[in-house]
Amino acid sequence: MRDLKELMRPAAAVLEPYDPAFAAVEVNLSSNENSFGVPPAVCDAMAHALAQTAANRYPDPLAPALRAELAAWHGIDPERIIVGNGGDEIIFNLFLAFGADGAKVVNCPPTFSIYRLYAELLGCAVADVPRDPKTFAIDEEALLAEAADARITVITTPNNPTGTLAPLALIERLCAATEGLVLVDEAYLEFADSPSSLALLGTLPNLVVLRTLSKAFAFAGGRIGYALAAPEIIDTFAAVRQPYSVNVFSQAAAAVAVRERAAYEGILRSIIEGRSWLAGELAKIEGVRVWPSSANFLLVRLPDAHSIWERLRDEHSILVRDFSQTPGLGDCLRITVGTPRENERVAVAIAELLGKDLP
Ligand code: PMP
C-alpha cells in the first residue's frame, strides 16, 4: 500500500483531528455551552417524546415535525428551512454544495475557525478580511470589495470569539454587492439585543441564515442546527446532505424544545445578566481587558494568558478557551458565561491568579 498521506485528498492530508481540548473539570466554560441545561419541565416533555420515538425506522430526512415548529417560531414557510446535525453540518454542506475547486470563500477573522477548516477541506480558496485589531469591527468597505466575486461570504453576528455584532445594513449591502451567497451565522443571536437578519430573507435571494439549538436551547449534545434561505437554496442543501444525519431522538427532543421555547426565557435573562456581572468583575482586575459581548461568552486579554489558562485548569478546575496563539488574539482567553456560581468562581480565580483579591 502507498503511504496513507499520499492516498489522501491533499487538503485532508494536512489536517490533524479536531481537538476541543476537553478536560475533566468542575467548571467548564470553554465551549459556549449553556450551563443551565434544559429546564426541568421541558426535560419531562422531551422524555415523554423520546419514549414514543421508534428507533427501528430511519429518520425522516427533512425532520418535518421540527421544521414545522421552527417555521411557526420564525414565522417562515417550512420550505425555507433545513435542519442539520448541528450548525457545523450546515456550514459543511454549504461549502460542499457551493464551494469546491478554488471557489472563493470570504470570512472576517478572528472568527469561528470551522469556516476556514471546512472551506479548505472542500477545495475552496479562503480570503480573509481582518477585523479591526482593537475593536474587532468589520472593515466594511474592504469586505464589500473582497466579496464582489466570492462564491460564499461569511458574516458571524455575534462573532465568535469576539462577541461583536455586524449591522443589518452591512448584510443588506453585502448581499447586493456579491455575485455569490452570504452566510449570516446567528448561532448566538438569542443573547444579543439586536434584530435577526431573518427579516431580510424575503428580499435578499442570496441570504442564508444559520441558527443552532446548541447555545440558547442548551442542546449542544443533541446536535441540531438549521439554515433558513430561499427554497431553491434549501433544495441544494437537501440534495447534498447525508439523508439520515439527524437522528430520530434529536429530532423529537428538539421539536419539544422549540415548542416550549418560552420556558427558556428566564435562563436567557440570567445569562445576559451574568455576562454584565462577569464583564464588570473582570474589568475591575488590573491588567484585564474585556471586550463588549453580545453572545454568551466574553473575550478577555490578560497578562500571560496561556499560563493563566493552565493554572485555571490545574489549580482551580476551571476550563476556559485559550486563544492566545490565534493571530490577532495574543494573550486572549474566551470565557463562556455560566451560572452565577460558575461566573463567581472564574472571576475570583482570575483575580487570585493575577495577584489581586476582588474588591
Ligand atoms: N457558528 C458559530 C459561530 C459557533 O460558535 C458554533 C459552535 N461553536 C457553531 C456555528 C456551530 O454550532 P453547532 O454545530 O453546535 O450547532
Side-chain angles (χ1 to χ4, degrees), residues 18 31-32 85-89 91 111-112 114-115 156 158-160 185-188 210-215 219-220 223-226 297 334:
Y18 179 74
S31 298
N32 301 338
N85 189 276
D88 284 354
E89 188 194 14
I91 297 167
T111 190
F112 189 34
I114 286 283
Y115 311 133
T156 316
N159 185 46
N160 176 14
D185 184 341
E186 295 187 344
Y188 300 96
L210 172 65
R211 304 285 291 256
T212 179
L213 300 196
S214 294
K215 314 298 178 182
F219 206 64
R223 310 302 303 126
I224 295 287
Y226 56 104
F297 53 81
R334 189 194 66 196

PDB file of all heavy atoms in Angstrom, residues 18 31-32 85-89 91 111-112 114-115 156 158-160 185-188 210-215 219-220 223-226 297 334, ligand 1:
ATOM      1  N   TYR A  18      -9.678  17.232  15.009  1.00  0.00           N
ATOM      2  CA  TYR A  18     -10.130  18.398  15.792  1.00  0.00           C
ATOM      3  C   TYR A  18     -10.067  18.077  17.275  1.00  0.00           C
ATOM      4  O   TYR A  18     -10.544  17.033  17.719  1.00  0.00           O
ATOM      5  CB  TYR A  18     -11.569  18.764  15.392  1.00  0.00           C
ATOM      6  CG  TYR A  18     -12.122  19.933  16.170  1.00  0.00           C
ATOM      7  CD1 TYR A  18     -11.686  21.225  15.899  1.00  0.00           C
ATOM      8  CD2 TYR A  18     -13.064  19.760  17.179  1.00  0.00           C
ATOM      9  CE1 TYR A  18     -12.178  22.315  16.616  1.00  0.00           C
ATOM     10  CE2 TYR A  18     -13.565  20.843  17.894  1.00  0.00           C
ATOM     11  CZ  TYR A  18     -13.113  22.116  17.605  1.00  0.00           C
ATOM     12  OH  TYR A  18     -13.601  23.188  18.309  1.00  0.00           O
ATOM     13  N   SER A  31     -16.695  25.993  25.910  1.00  0.00           N
ATOM     14  CA  SER A  31     -17.270  25.703  24.590  1.00  0.00           C
ATOM     15  C   SER A  31     -18.558  26.461  24.312  1.00  0.00           C
ATOM     16  O   SER A  31     -19.309  26.071  23.421  1.00  0.00           O
ATOM     17  CB  SER A  31     -17.519  24.199  24.446  1.00  0.00           C
ATOM     18  OG  SER A  31     -16.296  23.507  24.527  1.00  0.00           O
ATOM     19  N   ASN A  32     -18.812  27.517  25.065  1.00  0.00           N
ATOM     20  CA  ASN A  32     -20.014  28.332  24.847  1.00  0.00           C
ATOM     21  C   ASN A  32     -21.301  27.519  24.924  1.00  0.00           C
ATOM     22  O   ASN A  32     -22.275  27.783  24.207  1.00  0.00           O
ATOM     23  CB  ASN A  32     -19.949  29.094  23.520  1.00  0.00           C
ATOM     24  CG  ASN A  32     -18.750  30.004  23.470  1.00  0.00           C
ATOM     25  OD1 ASN A  32     -18.214  30.369  24.515  1.00  0.00           O
ATOM     26  ND2 ASN A  32     -18.325  30.376  22.278  1.00  0.00           N
ATOM     27  N   ASN A  85     -27.161  18.275  11.382  1.00  0.00           N
ATOM     28  CA  ASN A  85     -26.547  17.698  12.569  1.00  0.00           C
ATOM     29  C   ASN A  85     -25.617  18.753  13.193  1.00  0.00           C
ATOM     30  O   ASN A  85     -24.392  18.718  13.035  1.00  0.00           O
ATOM     31  CB  ASN A  85     -25.764  16.439  12.162  1.00  0.00           C
ATOM     32  CG  ASN A  85     -25.276  15.652  13.345  1.00  0.00           C
ATOM     33  OD1 ASN A  85     -24.234  15.932  13.913  1.00  0.00           O
ATOM     34  ND2 ASN A  85     -26.043  14.672  13.741  1.00  0.00           N
ATOM     35  N   GLY A  86     -26.248  19.723  13.839  1.00  0.00           N
ATOM     36  CA  GLY A  86     -25.513  20.884  14.336  1.00  0.00           C
ATOM     37  C   GLY A  86     -25.317  21.897  13.215  1.00  0.00           C
ATOM     38  O   GLY A  86     -25.427  21.564  12.025  1.00  0.00           O
ATOM     39  N   GLY A  87     -25.030  23.130  13.637  1.00  0.00           N
ATOM     40  CA  GLY A  87     -24.716  24.159  12.647  1.00  0.00           C
ATOM     41  C   GLY A  87     -23.499  23.767  11.830  1.00  0.00           C
ATOM     42  O   GLY A  87     -23.384  24.127  10.651  1.00  0.00           O
ATOM     43  N   ASP A  88     -22.593  23.005  12.435  1.00  0.00           N
ATOM     44  CA  ASP A  88     -21.385  22.577  11.718  1.00  0.00           C
ATOM     45  C   ASP A  88     -21.736  21.853  10.419  1.00  0.00           C
ATOM     46  O   ASP A  88     -21.089  22.050   9.387  1.00  0.00           O
ATOM     47  CB  ASP A  88     -20.546  21.642  12.597  1.00  0.00           C
ATOM     48  CG  ASP A  88     -19.773  22.394  13.676  1.00  0.00           C
ATOM     49  OD1 ASP A  88     -19.792  23.644  13.681  1.00  0.00           O
ATOM     50  OD2 ASP A  88     -19.157  21.717  14.523  1.00  0.00           O
ATOM     51  N   GLU A  89     -22.744  20.985  10.463  1.00  0.00           N
ATOM     52  CA  GLU A  89     -23.100  20.251   9.239  1.00  0.00           C
ATOM     53  C   GLU A  89     -23.644  21.204   8.171  1.00  0.00           C
ATOM     54  O   GLU A  89     -23.393  21.032   6.979  1.00  0.00           O
ATOM     55  CB  GLU A  89     -24.133  19.147   9.525  1.00  0.00           C
ATOM     56  CG  GLU A  89     -24.334  18.288   8.283  1.00  0.00           C
ATOM     57  CD  GLU A  89     -25.560  17.380   8.298  1.00  0.00           C
ATOM     58  OE1 GLU A  89     -26.460  17.551   9.137  1.00  0.00           O
ATOM     59  OE2 GLU A  89     -25.617  16.509   7.425  1.00  0.00           O
ATOM     60  N   ILE A  91     -22.774  24.317   7.755  1.00  0.00           N
ATOM     61  CA  ILE A  91     -21.622  25.030   7.180  1.00  0.00           C
ATOM     62  C   ILE A  91     -20.911  24.108   6.179  1.00  0.00           C
ATOM     63  O   ILE A  91     -20.594  24.509   5.053  1.00  0.00           O
ATOM     64  CB  ILE A  91     -20.657  25.488   8.302  1.00  0.00           C
ATOM     65  CG1 ILE A  91     -21.363  26.476   9.234  1.00  0.00           C
ATOM     66  CG2 ILE A  91     -19.392  26.107   7.719  1.00  0.00           C
ATOM     67  CD1 ILE A  91     -20.619  26.740  10.547  1.00  0.00           C
ATOM     68  N   THR A 111     -12.373  34.817  13.775  1.00  0.00           N
ATOM     69  CA  THR A 111     -13.752  34.333  13.768  1.00  0.00           C
ATOM     70  C   THR A 111     -13.745  32.826  13.975  1.00  0.00           C
ATOM     71  O   THR A 111     -12.692  32.237  14.269  1.00  0.00           O
ATOM     72  CB  THR A 111     -14.461  34.762  12.460  1.00  0.00           C
ATOM     73  OG1 THR A 111     -15.853  34.482  12.579  1.00  0.00           O
ATOM     74  CG2 THR A 111     -13.904  34.057  11.229  1.00  0.00           C
ATOM     75  N   PHE A 112     -14.890  32.203  13.820  1.00  0.00           N
ATOM     76  CA  PHE A 112     -15.057  30.759  14.055  1.00  0.00           C
ATOM     77  C   PHE A 112     -14.156  29.995  13.063  1.00  0.00           C
ATOM     78  O   PHE A 112     -14.291  30.151  11.848  1.00  0.00           O
ATOM     79  CB  PHE A 112     -16.533  30.439  13.821  1.00  0.00           C
ATOM     80  CG  PHE A 112     -16.968  29.054  14.209  1.00  0.00           C
ATOM     81  CD1 PHE A 112     -16.413  28.393  15.290  1.00  0.00           C
ATOM     82  CD2 PHE A 112     -17.982  28.435  13.493  1.00  0.00           C
ATOM     83  CE1 PHE A 112     -16.864  27.125  15.650  1.00  0.00           C
ATOM     84  CE2 PHE A 112     -18.433  27.170  13.843  1.00  0.00           C
ATOM     85  CZ  PHE A 112     -17.872  26.518  14.917  1.00  0.00           C
ATOM     86  N   ILE A 114     -13.965  27.007  12.077  1.00  0.00           N
ATOM     87  CA  ILE A 114     -14.546  25.942  11.254  1.00  0.00           C
ATOM     88  C   ILE A 114     -14.749  26.395   9.796  1.00  0.00           C
ATOM     89  O   ILE A 114     -14.669  25.588   8.872  1.00  0.00           O
ATOM     90  CB  ILE A 114     -15.896  25.483  11.875  1.00  0.00           C
ATOM     91  CG1 ILE A 114     -15.637  24.646  13.132  1.00  0.00           C
ATOM     92  CG2 ILE A 114     -16.779  24.760  10.886  1.00  0.00           C
ATOM     93  CD1 ILE A 114     -15.183  23.235  12.888  1.00  0.00           C
ATOM     94  N   TYR A 115     -15.022  27.700   9.589  1.00  0.00           N
ATOM     95  CA  TYR A 115     -15.258  28.144   8.199  1.00  0.00           C
ATOM     96  C   TYR A 115     -14.041  27.831   7.338  1.00  0.00           C
ATOM     97  O   TYR A 115     -14.142  27.255   6.267  1.00  0.00           O
ATOM     98  CB  TYR A 115     -15.551  29.652   8.120  1.00  0.00           C
ATOM     99  CG  TYR A 115     -16.590  30.174   9.068  1.00  0.00           C
ATOM    100  CD1 TYR A 115     -16.360  31.331   9.813  1.00  0.00           C
ATOM    101  CD2 TYR A 115     -17.811  29.532   9.231  1.00  0.00           C
ATOM    102  CE1 TYR A 115     -17.301  31.833  10.686  1.00  0.00           C
ATOM    103  CE2 TYR A 115     -18.759  30.028  10.114  1.00  0.00           C
ATOM    104  CZ  TYR A 115     -18.489  31.179  10.837  1.00  0.00           C
ATOM    105  OH  TYR A 115     -19.417  31.666  11.715  1.00  0.00           O
ATOM    106  N   THR A 156     -20.484  36.571  10.841  1.00  0.00           N
ATOM    107  CA  THR A 156     -20.909  35.930  12.085  1.00  0.00           C
ATOM    108  C   THR A 156     -21.353  37.028  13.040  1.00  0.00           C
ATOM    109  O   THR A 156     -20.578  37.930  13.339  1.00  0.00           O
ATOM    110  CB  THR A 156     -19.723  35.146  12.683  1.00  0.00           C
ATOM    111  OG1 THR A 156     -19.084  34.448  11.620  1.00  0.00           O
ATOM    112  CG2 THR A 156     -20.178  34.194  13.753  1.00  0.00           C
ATOM    113  N   PRO A 158     -23.758  37.521  16.652  1.00  0.00           N
ATOM    114  CA  PRO A 158     -22.494  37.971  17.232  1.00  0.00           C
ATOM    115  C   PRO A 158     -21.339  37.055  16.803  1.00  0.00           C
ATOM    116  O   PRO A 158     -21.539  35.846  16.628  1.00  0.00           O
ATOM    117  CB  PRO A 158     -22.728  37.861  18.731  1.00  0.00           C
ATOM    118  CG  PRO A 158     -24.206  37.791  18.912  1.00  0.00           C
ATOM    119  CD  PRO A 158     -24.749  37.154  17.696  1.00  0.00           C
ATOM    120  N   ASN A 159     -20.155  37.658  16.675  1.00  0.00           N
ATOM    121  CA  ASN A 159     -18.999  36.889  16.209  1.00  0.00           C
ATOM    122  C   ASN A 159     -18.390  36.064  17.343  1.00  0.00           C
ATOM    123  O   ASN A 159     -18.324  36.512  18.481  1.00  0.00           O
ATOM    124  CB  ASN A 159     -17.952  37.861  15.651  1.00  0.00           C
ATOM    125  CG  ASN A 159     -16.771  37.140  15.039  1.00  0.00           C
ATOM    126  OD1 ASN A 159     -16.945  36.192  14.278  1.00  0.00           O
ATOM    127  ND2 ASN A 159     -15.561  37.572  15.365  1.00  0.00           N
ATOM    128  N   ASN A 160     -17.952  34.876  17.001  1.00  0.00           N
ATOM    129  CA  ASN A 160     -17.191  34.021  17.910  1.00  0.00           C
ATOM    130  C   ASN A 160     -15.726  34.079  17.458  1.00  0.00           C
ATOM    131  O   ASN A 160     -15.472  33.801  16.283  1.00  0.00           O
ATOM    132  CB  ASN A 160     -17.729  32.588  17.808  1.00  0.00           C
ATOM    133  CG  ASN A 160     -16.938  31.596  18.637  1.00  0.00           C
ATOM    134  OD1 ASN A 160     -16.143  31.969  19.482  1.00  0.00           O
ATOM    135  ND2 ASN A 160     -17.154  30.312  18.386  1.00  0.00           N
ATOM    136  N   ASP A 185     -24.147  33.851  10.147  1.00  0.00           N
ATOM    137  CA  ASP A 185     -24.141  32.855  11.215  1.00  0.00           C
ATOM    138  C   ASP A 185     -24.638  33.519  12.500  1.00  0.00           C
ATOM    139  O   ASP A 185     -23.937  34.325  13.112  1.00  0.00           O
ATOM    140  CB  ASP A 185     -22.717  32.309  11.380  1.00  0.00           C
ATOM    141  CG  ASP A 185     -22.637  31.185  12.399  1.00  0.00           C
ATOM    142  OD1 ASP A 185     -23.552  31.052  13.232  1.00  0.00           O
ATOM    143  OD2 ASP A 185     -21.641  30.429  12.358  1.00  0.00           O
ATOM    144  N   GLU A 186     -25.871  33.161  12.880  1.00  0.00           N
ATOM    145  CA  GLU A 186     -26.501  33.744  14.072  1.00  0.00           C
ATOM    146  C   GLU A 186     -26.561  32.738  15.226  1.00  0.00           C
ATOM    147  O   GLU A 186     -27.526  32.716  15.992  1.00  0.00           O
ATOM    148  CB  GLU A 186     -27.920  34.207  13.726  1.00  0.00           C
ATOM    149  CG  GLU A 186     -27.959  35.340  12.707  1.00  0.00           C
ATOM    150  CD  GLU A 186     -29.360  35.927  12.493  1.00  0.00           C
ATOM    151  OE1 GLU A 186     -30.374  35.286  12.880  1.00  0.00           O
ATOM    152  OE2 GLU A 186     -29.446  37.029  11.927  1.00  0.00           O
ATOM    153  N   ALA A 187     -25.497  31.939  15.368  1.00  0.00           N
ATOM    154  CA  ALA A 187     -25.500  30.900  16.415  1.00  0.00           C
ATOM    155  C   ALA A 187     -25.785  31.478  17.808  1.00  0.00           C
ATOM    156  O   ALA A 187     -26.359  30.797  18.660  1.00  0.00           O
ATOM    157  CB  ALA A 187     -24.160  30.161  16.418  1.00  0.00           C
ATOM    158  N   TYR A 188     -25.375  32.742  18.030  1.00  0.00           N
ATOM    159  CA  TYR A 188     -25.504  33.335  19.370  1.00  0.00           C
ATOM    160  C   TYR A 188     -26.535  34.454  19.414  1.00  0.00           C
ATOM    161  O   TYR A 188     -26.556  35.247  20.357  1.00  0.00           O
ATOM    162  CB  TYR A 188     -24.138  33.880  19.818  1.00  0.00           C
ATOM    163  CG  TYR A 188     -23.089  32.799  19.886  1.00  0.00           C
ATOM    164  CD1 TYR A 188     -22.211  32.580  18.829  1.00  0.00           C
ATOM    165  CD2 TYR A 188     -22.999  31.968  20.998  1.00  0.00           C
ATOM    166  CE1 TYR A 188     -21.259  31.572  18.873  1.00  0.00           C
ATOM    167  CE2 TYR A 188     -22.057  30.958  21.058  1.00  0.00           C
ATOM    168  CZ  TYR A 188     -21.192  30.761  19.993  1.00  0.00           C
ATOM    169  OH  TYR A 188     -20.263  29.759  20.057  1.00  0.00           O
ATOM    170  N   LEU A 210     -27.898  31.040   9.475  1.00  0.00           N
ATOM    171  CA  LEU A 210     -27.634  29.826  10.252  1.00  0.00           C
ATOM    172  C   LEU A 210     -28.012  30.049  11.702  1.00  0.00           C
ATOM    173  O   LEU A 210     -27.648  31.063  12.303  1.00  0.00           O
ATOM    174  CB  LEU A 210     -26.136  29.492  10.172  1.00  0.00           C
ATOM    175  CG  LEU A 210     -25.646  28.358  11.082  1.00  0.00           C
ATOM    176  CD1 LEU A 210     -26.264  27.040  10.689  1.00  0.00           C
ATOM    177  CD2 LEU A 210     -24.122  28.261  11.029  1.00  0.00           C
ATOM    178  N   ARG A 211     -28.752  29.104  12.275  1.00  0.00           N
ATOM    179  CA  ARG A 211     -29.077  29.131  13.710  1.00  0.00           C
ATOM    180  C   ARG A 211     -28.765  27.750  14.300  1.00  0.00           C
ATOM    181  O   ARG A 211     -28.586  26.782  13.569  1.00  0.00           O
ATOM    182  CB  ARG A 211     -30.566  29.458  13.913  1.00  0.00           C
ATOM    183  CG  ARG A 211     -31.026  30.755  13.258  1.00  0.00           C
ATOM    184  CD  ARG A 211     -30.566  31.978  14.023  1.00  0.00           C
ATOM    185  NE  ARG A 211     -31.224  32.113  15.284  1.00  0.00           N
ATOM    186  CZ  ARG A 211     -32.216  32.999  15.552  1.00  0.00           C
ATOM    187  NH1 ARG A 211     -32.639  33.831  14.608  1.00  0.00           N
ATOM    188  NH2 ARG A 211     -32.753  33.067  16.747  1.00  0.00           N
ATOM    189  N   THR A 212     -28.715  27.679  15.609  1.00  0.00           N
ATOM    190  CA  THR A 212     -28.437  26.405  16.274  1.00  0.00           C
ATOM    191  C   THR A 212     -29.216  26.311  17.578  1.00  0.00           C
ATOM    192  O   THR A 212     -29.532  27.342  18.188  1.00  0.00           O
ATOM    193  CB  THR A 212     -26.925  26.246  16.559  1.00  0.00           C
ATOM    194  OG1 THR A 212     -26.706  25.005  17.234  1.00  0.00           O
ATOM    195  CG2 THR A 212     -26.375  27.376  17.427  1.00  0.00           C
ATOM    196  N   LEU A 213     -29.483  25.092  18.012  1.00  0.00           N
ATOM    197  CA  LEU A 213     -30.083  24.892  19.340  1.00  0.00           C
ATOM    198  C   LEU A 213     -29.003  24.635  20.399  1.00  0.00           C
ATOM    199  O   LEU A 213     -29.298  24.390  21.558  1.00  0.00           O
ATOM    200  CB  LEU A 213     -31.062  23.715  19.315  1.00  0.00           C
ATOM    201  CG  LEU A 213     -32.268  23.793  18.372  1.00  0.00           C
ATOM    202  CD1 LEU A 213     -33.315  22.750  18.776  1.00  0.00           C
ATOM    203  CD2 LEU A 213     -32.909  25.161  18.328  1.00  0.00           C
ATOM    204  N   SER A 214     -27.718  24.668  19.983  1.00  0.00           N
ATOM    205  CA  SER A 214     -26.625  24.306  20.902  1.00  0.00           C
ATOM    206  C   SER A 214     -26.427  25.303  22.021  1.00  0.00           C
ATOM    207  O   SER A 214     -25.899  24.953  23.081  1.00  0.00           O
ATOM    208  CB  SER A 214     -25.306  24.194  20.143  1.00  0.00           C
ATOM    209  OG  SER A 214     -25.336  23.123  19.250  1.00  0.00           O
ATOM    210  N   LYS A 215     -26.794  26.545  21.803  1.00  0.00           N
ATOM    211  CA  LYS A 215     -26.428  27.603  22.755  1.00  0.00           C
ATOM    212  C   LYS A 215     -27.641  27.980  23.614  1.00  0.00           C
ATOM    213  O   LYS A 215     -27.763  27.525  24.733  1.00  0.00           O
ATOM    214  CB  LYS A 215     -25.878  28.813  21.991  1.00  0.00           C
ATOM    215  CG  LYS A 215     -24.863  28.452  20.905  1.00  0.00           C
ATOM    216  CD  LYS A 215     -23.633  27.781  21.457  1.00  0.00           C
ATOM    217  CE  LYS A 215     -22.677  27.399  20.330  1.00  0.00           C
ATOM    218  NZ  LYS A 215     -21.486  26.713  20.812  1.00  0.00           N
ATOM    219  N   PHE A 219     -28.727  22.596  23.972  1.00  0.00           N
ATOM    220  CA  PHE A 219     -28.909  21.318  23.275  1.00  0.00           C
ATOM    221  C   PHE A 219     -27.668  20.950  22.448  1.00  0.00           C
ATOM    222  O   PHE A 219     -27.761  20.287  21.419  1.00  0.00           O
ATOM    223  CB  PHE A 219     -30.153  21.435  22.378  1.00  0.00           C
ATOM    224  CG  PHE A 219     -30.827  20.130  22.083  1.00  0.00           C
ATOM    225  CD1 PHE A 219     -31.410  19.386  23.094  1.00  0.00           C
ATOM    226  CD2 PHE A 219     -30.893  19.642  20.782  1.00  0.00           C
ATOM    227  CE1 PHE A 219     -32.038  18.171  22.817  1.00  0.00           C
ATOM    228  CE2 PHE A 219     -31.516  18.423  20.495  1.00  0.00           C
ATOM    229  CZ  PHE A 219     -32.088  17.689  21.520  1.00  0.00           C
ATOM    230  N   ALA A 220     -26.477  21.364  22.932  1.00  0.00           N
ATOM    231  CA  ALA A 220     -25.242  21.118  22.165  1.00  0.00           C
ATOM    232  C   ALA A 220     -25.045  19.622  21.906  1.00  0.00           C
ATOM    233  O   ALA A 220     -24.601  19.217  20.826  1.00  0.00           O
ATOM    234  CB  ALA A 220     -24.038  21.699  22.900  1.00  0.00           C
ATOM    235  N   ARG A 223     -27.124  18.068  18.948  1.00  0.00           N
ATOM    236  CA  ARG A 223     -26.626  18.370  17.602  1.00  0.00           C
ATOM    237  C   ARG A 223     -27.751  18.748  16.627  1.00  0.00           C
ATOM    238  O   ARG A 223     -28.075  18.020  15.693  1.00  0.00           O
ATOM    239  CB  ARG A 223     -25.837  17.179  17.010  1.00  0.00           C
ATOM    240  CG  ARG A 223     -24.760  16.581  17.881  1.00  0.00           C
ATOM    241  CD  ARG A 223     -23.700  17.578  18.302  1.00  0.00           C
ATOM    242  NE  ARG A 223     -23.040  18.235  17.201  1.00  0.00           N
ATOM    243  CZ  ARG A 223     -22.965  19.585  17.075  1.00  0.00           C
ATOM    244  NH1 ARG A 223     -23.497  20.392  17.997  1.00  0.00           N
ATOM    245  NH2 ARG A 223     -22.338  20.103  16.050  1.00  0.00           N
ATOM    246  N   ILE A 224     -28.344  19.903  16.862  1.00  0.00           N
ATOM    247  CA  ILE A 224     -29.352  20.409  15.933  1.00  0.00           C
ATOM    248  C   ILE A 224     -29.012  21.848  15.551  1.00  0.00           C
ATOM    249  O   ILE A 224     -28.967  22.743  16.397  1.00  0.00           O
ATOM    250  CB  ILE A 224     -30.776  20.386  16.549  1.00  0.00           C
ATOM    251  CG1 ILE A 224     -31.240  18.957  16.824  1.00  0.00           C
ATOM    252  CG2 ILE A 224     -31.766  21.112  15.615  1.00  0.00           C
ATOM    253  CD1 ILE A 224     -31.611  18.124  15.613  1.00  0.00           C
ATOM    254  N   GLY A 225     -28.754  22.051  14.259  1.00  0.00           N
ATOM    255  CA  GLY A 225     -28.613  23.391  13.700  1.00  0.00           C
ATOM    256  C   GLY A 225     -29.528  23.478  12.495  1.00  0.00           C
ATOM    257  O   GLY A 225     -30.051  22.454  12.028  1.00  0.00           O
ATOM    258  N   TYR A 226     -29.762  24.678  12.002  1.00  0.00           N
ATOM    259  CA  TYR A 226     -30.627  24.784  10.825  1.00  0.00           C
ATOM    260  C   TYR A 226     -30.303  26.029  10.027  1.00  0.00           C
ATOM    261  O   TYR A 226     -29.752  26.998  10.561  1.00  0.00           O
ATOM    262  CB  TYR A 226     -32.114  24.740  11.200  1.00  0.00           C
ATOM    263  CG  TYR A 226     -32.572  25.768  12.205  1.00  0.00           C
ATOM    264  CD1 TYR A 226     -33.303  26.886  11.808  1.00  0.00           C
ATOM    265  CD2 TYR A 226     -32.288  25.614  13.560  1.00  0.00           C
ATOM    266  CE1 TYR A 226     -33.737  27.825  12.736  1.00  0.00           C
ATOM    267  CE2 TYR A 226     -32.707  26.559  14.489  1.00  0.00           C
ATOM    268  CZ  TYR A 226     -33.433  27.652  14.074  1.00  0.00           C
ATOM    269  OH  TYR A 226     -33.843  28.581  14.995  1.00  0.00           O
ATOM    270  N   PHE A 297     -20.524  34.610  25.895  1.00  0.00           N
ATOM    271  CA  PHE A 297     -19.116  34.469  26.292  1.00  0.00           C
ATOM    272  C   PHE A 297     -18.480  35.847  26.286  1.00  0.00           C
ATOM    273  O   PHE A 297     -19.033  36.804  25.715  1.00  0.00           O
ATOM    274  CB  PHE A 297     -18.365  33.539  25.335  1.00  0.00           C
ATOM    275  CG  PHE A 297     -18.500  33.936  23.888  1.00  0.00           C
ATOM    276  CD1 PHE A 297     -17.722  34.949  23.342  1.00  0.00           C
ATOM    277  CD2 PHE A 297     -19.437  33.317  23.072  1.00  0.00           C
ATOM    278  CE1 PHE A 297     -17.870  35.330  22.020  1.00  0.00           C
ATOM    279  CE2 PHE A 297     -19.586  33.697  21.738  1.00  0.00           C
ATOM    280  CZ  PHE A 297     -18.791  34.714  21.221  1.00  0.00           C
ATOM    281  N   ARG A 334     -11.190  33.092  26.003  1.00  0.00           N
ATOM    282  CA  ARG A 334     -12.638  33.251  25.843  1.00  0.00           C
ATOM    283  C   ARG A 334     -13.314  32.502  26.984  1.00  0.00           C
ATOM    284  O   ARG A 334     -13.043  31.321  27.192  1.00  0.00           O
ATOM    285  CB  ARG A 334     -13.082  32.675  24.493  1.00  0.00           C
ATOM    286  CG  ARG A 334     -14.543  32.992  24.159  1.00  0.00           C
ATOM    287  CD  ARG A 334     -15.038  32.143  23.003  1.00  0.00           C
ATOM    288  NE  ARG A 334     -15.078  30.742  23.391  1.00  0.00           N
ATOM    289  CZ  ARG A 334     -15.169  29.717  22.535  1.00  0.00           C
ATOM    290  NH1 ARG A 334     -15.213  29.939  21.241  1.00  0.00           N
ATOM    291  NH2 ARG A 334     -15.204  28.473  22.972  1.00  0.00           N
TER     292      ARG A 334
HETATM  293  N1  PMP B   1     -21.348  29.001  14.440  1.00  0.00           N
HETATM  294  C1  PMP B   1     -20.631  29.516  15.438  1.00  0.00           C
HETATM  295  C2  PMP B   1     -20.196  30.937  15.344  1.00  0.00           C
HETATM  296  C3  PMP B   1     -20.279  28.732  16.545  1.00  0.00           C
HETATM  297  O1  PMP B   1     -19.540  29.246  17.516  1.00  0.00           O
HETATM  298  C4  PMP B   1     -20.726  27.396  16.589  1.00  0.00           C
HETATM  299  C5  PMP B   1     -20.397  26.494  17.762  1.00  0.00           C
HETATM  300  N2  PMP B   1     -19.216  26.615  18.339  1.00  0.00           N
HETATM  301  C6  PMP B   1     -21.473  26.908  15.513  1.00  0.00           C
HETATM  302  C7  PMP B   1     -21.776  27.742  14.464  1.00  0.00           C
HETATM  303  C8  PMP B   1     -21.915  25.502  15.396  1.00  0.00           C
HETATM  304  O2  PMP B   1     -22.575  25.029  16.498  1.00  0.00           O
HETATM  305  P1  PMP B   1     -23.290  23.624  16.472  1.00  0.00           P
HETATM  306  O3  PMP B   1     -22.598  22.761  15.453  1.00  0.00           O
HETATM  307  O4  PMP B   1     -23.141  23.107  17.858  1.00  0.00           O
HETATM  308  O5  PMP B   1     -24.703  23.896  16.085  1.00  0.00           O
END
